[in-house]
Amino acid sequence: PLESHRVGFQESRNPLHVWRAYMTARSNDIPVPDWVVSYFDNVSNSIWDLQQRVLGGEKIANTSVAIAEAMQMKKPGRHGRGNVFSEFNDTAWIFYGDTVHRYMRIEQRQYDSAKLDGIIFDVALRNSVSESTIWRSLEKYEARCIAPEDRLYKKK
């Protein structure tokens, strides 16, 4: 899942991918990836700069918005629909595609074979989405993230 979140962050710049990768690394006792540490370094600097501006007497109209912008949770000047939470759902295809690939590798290692249809069914069931959602996600994931020779989904 760390790779799927790296791709998700790269594609969308949505910081929830960074936070999820951090949680995944910590809960699995694996090193936190450099790209996650880099995000936290940048955010820490932005928050510190904001704090220094406030201490220097600058009036911040909306501190909550300034903090959200410093944490890259809100793009400067952006208003209206959509936020990092709703947009995170828009990149679920990355997670689903990566999950199908991981399950295929695991089954091929354990059983010397794997059935894509069964894995699609399982991923859909575990994530409470339709099989067609998983198929579409896999197709999009492979088109953007997987070399043609390593793709599982072949259009007929």
Side-chain angles (χ1 to χ4, degrees):
L2 291 177
E3 180 61 13
S4 66
H5 288 299
R6 186 192 64 74
V7 171
F9 183 61
Q10 213 171 20
E11 288 264 329
S12 67
R13 304 311 297 169
N14 187 320
L16 291 184
H17 288 286
V18 179
W19 289 93
R20 190 68 186 147
Y22 176 79
M23 291 168 45
T24 300
R26 298 290 292 155
S27 65
N28 290 292
D29 201 28
I30 56 177
V32 175
D34 288 342
W35 64 272
V36 172
V37 174
S38 179
Y39 164 83
F40 285 127
D41 287 345
N42 290 335
V43 165
S44 296
N45 287 331
S46 295
I47 296 221
W48 182 253
D49 289 345
L50 178 62
Q51 190 260 356
Q52 293 300 301
R53 288 170 35 210
V54 169
L55 282 180
E58 185 177 332
K59 299 288 183 210
I60 307 293
N62 188 330
T63 312
S64 297
V65 169
I67 292 168
E69 288 174 355
M71 294 183 70
Q72 300 172 19
M73 295 284 190
K74 178 188 176 305
K75 293 176 179 65
R78 183 175 171 192
H79 303 287
R81 289 186 165 170
N83 55 56
V84 292
F85 303 106
S86 62
E87 291 169 1
F88 186 76
N89 290 336
D90 293 341
T91 58
W93 60 269
I94 299 167
F95 173 76
Y96 297 147
D98 181 67
T99 300
V100 169
H101 270 262
R102 275 188 302 109
Y103 284 11
M104 286 292 285
R105 286 191 301 273
I106 290 167
E107 283 200 15
Q108 285 172 334
R109 263 195 315 266
Q110 287 180 341
Y111 308 113
D112 290 327
S113 69
K115 300 230 183 290
L116 184 56
D117 288 339
I119 289 173
I120 294 289
F121 174 81
D122 189 43
V123 172
L125 186 64
R126 289 174 188 242
N127 290 282
S128 302
V129 297
S130 69
E131 288 179 59
S132 61
T133 295
I134 302 301
W135 281 110
R136 281 191 309 275
S137 297
L138 178 61
E139 183 177 16
K140 187 174 183 178
Y141 176 77
E142 290 191 332
R144 293 189 181 187
C145 305
I146 303 294
E149 63 274 10
D150 296 327
R151 293 180 184 163
L152 305 171
Y153 181 71
K154 312 284 192 245
K155 271 196 166 177
K156 295 171 178 123

